[in-house]
């Protein structure tokens, strides 16, 4: 409810009757847009109590407004502001109207943060959306999670859960995640090495904030996960780009950079590299670990979809090998469940995690403690492992089918290599098919690409994009490929 006691000004010494002052104040609030058409006002009894006036005074004020058609009485419901206001040219209450509270741009200076393209065209029901490589939410164990969530909401510990101070995640989820990572990734960590975050992106931001200073040099791949690149650049870093081929990042180029420049950080995705989906060879991993130890090089290892491997067993993370506590390991439950499940983790040395937790607290006083507790139960019960096995089988089949269809119908336009795992393909369009034009034509045909695409500026040489297959049913995938085929023949 609006603070009417503050908003309605009453001058007891005025010659204007109090009820008229109240009515006039309400008219001003309506015409200024503070009170919107259709808004219900307090009852006469409530308003009298709020303004500390006799109820008859409020009744008189409301009757004045009813007479002028500013408000209307709905029997057995209440008193609301009229939908059709008594003005020849009433102010527009539509979103974005010229008289909105923030109708003009800010006059003060502020940072410009690059953002994604804004999709300002209508999305039809028949539109097909191909994303960056998100999981299929239809497969997520939401029933189990909601059951546990409901138990927590009704349990005796609810008040305690909702008032917990943040020490890097709930104790239960930290324990569950540590066990999960030790068992699945060969990490040898304890709860002092983990910080629970709101998704992997927050983990990247926190880790980078702890390490990067303005003017520092950071090694990234070429191409690279562009949102991570933007994080580093916003922190004042200079990016040195290292090429990627079918065996991963060129480690000899990493070594050259280390010899010639003081490097403050290496950001790397050795497993299902984003965007190209390649996995770094074992030989390069061994050499990279040697360099990390030799140069005491801080590393952020982004392992966003480790659990989805198909053709063979996954290669263990760099963080599971000897690295002298230089590797900060980042992952997320988002890729296992659904895009809206924003729970990730940051793994590192205990002293680093303590300070990263302090930093997180500056922007997020506490996490989603109830969801964290519910997820902990899902992990400990084995439900998450069963979900991973089930969804891995589905995604493997979708990867096979999508690869077959694209190889059969788009060989004239794209080059790609079927990945060992992950949730997306990396499609490189041939030079005769500029990707910007392909995306625009696809959009006009009802096919919307929301994943990362690399075809502008320095990325023009890649002319490639991520084709997320995991969340597409077979019919949707086939229709998407059909549209691409039609616009490229």
């Amino acid at each position: 409810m609006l603070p009417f006691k503050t908003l309605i000004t009453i001058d007891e010494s005025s010659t204007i009757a109090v009820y008229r002052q109240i009515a006039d104040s309400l008219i001003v609030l309506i015409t200024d847009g503070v009170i919107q058409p259709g808004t219900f006002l307090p009852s006469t009894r409530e308003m009298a109590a709020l303004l500390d006036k006799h109820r008859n005074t409020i009744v008189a004020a409301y009757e004045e407004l009813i007479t002028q058609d500013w408000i209307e009485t709905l029997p057995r419901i209440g008193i609301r502001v009229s939908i059709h206001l008594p003005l020849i040219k009433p102010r527009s209450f539509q979103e974005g109207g010229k008289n909105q509270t923030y109708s003009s741009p800010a006059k003060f200076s502020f940072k410009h943060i690059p953002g994604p393209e804004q999709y300002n065209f209508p999305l039809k029901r028949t539109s097909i959306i191909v994303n960056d490589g998100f999981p299929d939410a239809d497969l997520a164990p939401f029933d189990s999670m909601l059951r546990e969530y409901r138990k927590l909401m009704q349990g005796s510990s609810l008040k305690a859960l909702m008032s917990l101070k943040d020490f890097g995640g709930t104790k239960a989820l930290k324990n569950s995640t540590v066990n999960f990572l030790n068992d699945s990734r060969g990490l040898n960590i304890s709860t002092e090495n983990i910080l629970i975050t709101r998704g992997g992106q927050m983990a990247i931001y926190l880790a980078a904030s702890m390490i990067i200073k303005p003017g520092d040099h950071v090694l990234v791949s070429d191409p690279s996960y562009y949102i991570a690149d933007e994080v580093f650049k916003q922190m004042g870093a200079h990016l040195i780009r290292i090429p990627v081929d079918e065996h991963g990042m060129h480690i000899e180029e990493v070594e050259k950079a280390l010899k010639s420049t003081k490097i403050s950080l290496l950001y790397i995705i050795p497993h299902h590299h984003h965007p190209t989906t390649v996995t770094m060879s074992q030989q390069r991993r061994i050499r990279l670990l040697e360099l990390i130890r030799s140069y005491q090089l801080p590393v952020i290892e982004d392992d966003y979809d480790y659990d989805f491997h198909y053709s063979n067993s996954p290669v263990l993370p760099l963080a599971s090998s000897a690295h002298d506590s230089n590797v900060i390991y980042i992952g997320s439950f988002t890729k296992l469940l659904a895009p809206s499940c924003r729970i990730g983790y940051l793994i590192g040395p205990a002293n680093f995690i303590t300070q990263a937790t302090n930093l997180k607290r500056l922007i997020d006083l506490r996490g989603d403690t109830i969801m964290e507790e519910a997820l902990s139960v899902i992990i400990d019960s084995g439900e998450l492992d069963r979900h991973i096995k089930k969804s891995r089988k589905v995604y493997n089949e979708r990867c096979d089918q999508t690869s077959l269809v694209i190889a059969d119908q788009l060989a004239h336009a794209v080059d790609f290599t079927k990945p060992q795992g992950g949730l997306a393909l990396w499609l490189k369009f041939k030079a005769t098919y500029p990707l910007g034009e392909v995306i625009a034509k696809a959009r006009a045909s009802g096919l919307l690409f929301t994943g990362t695409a690399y075809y502008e500026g320095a990325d023009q040489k890649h002319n490639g994009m991520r084709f997320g297959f995991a969340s597409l049913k077979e019919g949707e995938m086939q229709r998407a490929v059909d549209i691409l085929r039609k616009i490229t023949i």
Side-chain angles (χ1 to χ4, degrees):
M1 181 183 295
L2 290 171
F4 288 101
K5 178 71 173 177
T6 304
L7 294 173
I8 295 177
T9 303
I10 299 173
D11 182 2
E12 298 289 355
S13 64
S14 174
T15 57
I16 301 174
V18 172
Y19 83 91
R20 286 295 305 272
Q21 293 184 51
I22 294 172
D24 290 345
S25 292
L26 287 170
I27 290 172
V28 171
L29 292 173
I30 294 170
T31 56
D32 283 349
V34 177
I35 303 177
Q36 299 279 316
T39 300
F40 281 88
L41 296 178
S43 68
T44 55
R45 191 182 304 278
E46 289 176 305
M47 185 66 87
L50 289 170
L51 301 182
D52 194 23
K53 298 298 175 187
H54 196 281
R55 185 183 178 192
N56 288 343
T57 302
I58 306 303
V59 170
Y62 279 10
E63 287 178 347
E64 180 69 21
L65 293 172
I66 291 172
T67 301
Q68 298 183 37
D69 293 328
W70 286 103
I71 65 176
E72 57 189 350
T73 300
L74 302 181
R76 295 186 298 277
I77 297 179
I79 301 169
R80 72 176 183 182
V81 177
S82 177
I83 300 297
H84 304 291
L85 299 179
L87 292 176
I88 296 175
K89 292 184 178 179
R91 120 176 219 167
S92 171
F93 290 91
Q94 298 298 317
E95 184 177 354
K98 292 183 179 179
N99 295 319
Q100 290 286 318
T101 306
Y102 296 102
S103 59
S104 62
K107 306 301 190 298
F108 51 86
S109 61
F110 53 92
K111 287 185 177 181
H112 174 71
I113 311 295
E117 177 184 358
Q118 297 296 312
Y119 300 108
N120 54 4
F121 53 91
L123 187 62
K124 302 177 182 178
R125 283 191 171 189
T126 55
S127 297
I128 305 170
I129 300 176
V130 178
N131 57 45
D132 197 68
F134 296 152
D136 188 343
D138 290 343
L139 302 178
F142 285 138
D143 288 343
S144 298
M145 293 186 69
L146 287 173
R147 182 177 62 249
E148 299 304 328
Y149 198 96
R150 191 176 298 111
K151 287 180 183 178
L152 291 164
M153 290 294 291
Q154 298 171 347
S156 58
S157 61
L158 176 62
K159 186 175 181 179
L161 280 174
M162 296 182 70
S163 60
L164 281 176
K165 291 185 178 180
D166 184 31
F167 293 100
T170 64
K171 183 177 180 181
L173 183 58
K174 289 171 74 172
N175 277 317
S176 301
T177 304
V178 162
N179 293 333
F180 172 71
L181 296 177
N182 286 343
D183 290 344
S184 62
R185 289 150 172 78
L187 300 180
N188 184 18
I189 59 173
S190 65
T191 55
E192 68 178 3
N193 303 118
I194 186 170
L195 165 61
I196 300 297
T197 62
R198 291 194 189 258
Q201 189 61 42
M202 176 186 274
I204 293 172
Y205 189 91
L206 291 173
S209 297
M210 296 287 294
I211 297 171
I212 296 174
K213 299 182 297 296
D216 281 354
H217 291 85
V218 174
L219 299 181
V220 299
S221 62
D222 184 18
S224 179
Y225 177 42
Y226 82 97
I227 298 183
D229 287 356
E230 291 301 324
V231 168
F232 307 147
K233 288 190 286 187
Q234 285 297 320
M235 293 174 181
H238 302 293
L239 304 187
I240 299 176
R241 300 192 179 278
I242 307 296
V244 171
D245 61 18
E246 66 272 20
H247 301 296
M249 184 180 280
H250 287 206
I251 303 306
E252 63 272 18
E253 295 298 322
V254 173
E255 186 171 7
K256 288 180 183 178
L258 288 169
K259 289 180 178 179
S260 62
T261 309
K262 177 175 174 52
I263 303 299
S264 299
L265 176 68
L266 165 65
Y267 173 75
I268 190 168
I269 310 174
H271 195 251
H272 306 158
H273 172 260
H274 192 291
T276 69
T277 75
V278 300
T279 295
M280 181 178 285
S281 67
Q282 188 63 28
Q283 182 179 1
R284 290 188 182 182
R285 287 169 183 262
I286 292 172
R287 180 55 184 151
L288 177 57
L289 284 164
E290 292 173 352
L291 293 174
I292 291 170
R293 293 191 297 267
S294 176
Y295 285 87
Q296 291 298 293
L297 174 65
V299 176
I300 293 178
E301 180 180 14
D302 187 350
D303 206 1
Y304 66 102
D305 68 355
Y306 174 90
D307 295 281
F308 297 121
H309 50 276
Y310 312 133
S311 58
N312 49 41
S313 298
V315 181
L316 290 178
L318 298 171
S320 67
S321 303
H323 50 76
D324 285 355
S325 293
N326 286 304
V327 175
I328 306 302
Y329 183 73
I330 285 170
S332 173
F333 291 107
T334 301
K335 292 292 185 182
L336 293 177
L337 299 171
S340 60
C341 295
R342 304 302 301 163
I343 299 181
Y345 45 83
L346 188 158
I347 309 298
N351 59 341
F352 183 89
I353 294 299
T354 297
Q355 298 307 315
T357 301
N358 293 340
L359 177 59
K360 174 180 177 286
R361 196 176 293 118
L362 296 180
I363 59 174
D364 189 18
L365 282 175
R366 56 183 57 82
D368 188 347
T369 53
I370 301 176
M371 182 60 75
E372 289 179 22
E373 291 287 294
L375 178 57
S376 172
V377 175
I378 298 301
I379 296 172
D380 293 343
S381 67
E383 180 76 15
L384 183 65
D385 283 334
R386 291 189 291 273
H387 165 69
I388 291 173
K389 291 177 182 178
K390 179 182 71 173
S391 54
R392 183 187 295 147
K393 180 180 179 181
V394 173
Y395 297 151
N396 187 14
E397 292 172 352
R398 291 180 182 176
C399 181
D400 288 344
Q401 186 64 21
T402 304
S403 297
L404 286 172
V405 172
I406 289 180
D408 179 59
Q409 301 186 26
L410 293 177
H412 64 283
V414 304
D415 292 315
F416 79 100
T417 300
K418 180 184 172 184
Q420 296 178 14
L423 307 178
L425 304 180
W426 170 243
L427 304 183
K428 291 203 67 173
F429 283 75
K430 296 177 181 179
T432 50
Y433 301 98
L435 186 51
E437 296 179 12
V438 171
I439 292 174
K441 291 179 180 178
R443 180 184 302 168
S445 300
L447 174 59
L448 174 62
F449 290 102
T450 62
T452 44
Y454 298 75
Y455 61 92
E456 297 179 308
D459 288 325
Q460 186 174 2
K461 62 181 180 291
H462 299 303
N463 202 41
M465 69 176 180
R466 302 249 311 170
F467 187 100
F469 58 79
S471 58
L472 294 176
K473 307 299 190 289
E474 183 175 352
E476 295 171 324
M477 178 273 292
Q478 184 64 65
R479 286 166 56 205
V481 175
D482 285 344
I483 292 173
L484 282 176
R485 179 179 56 80
K486 289 176 182 177
I487 65 177
T488 57
I489 57 176

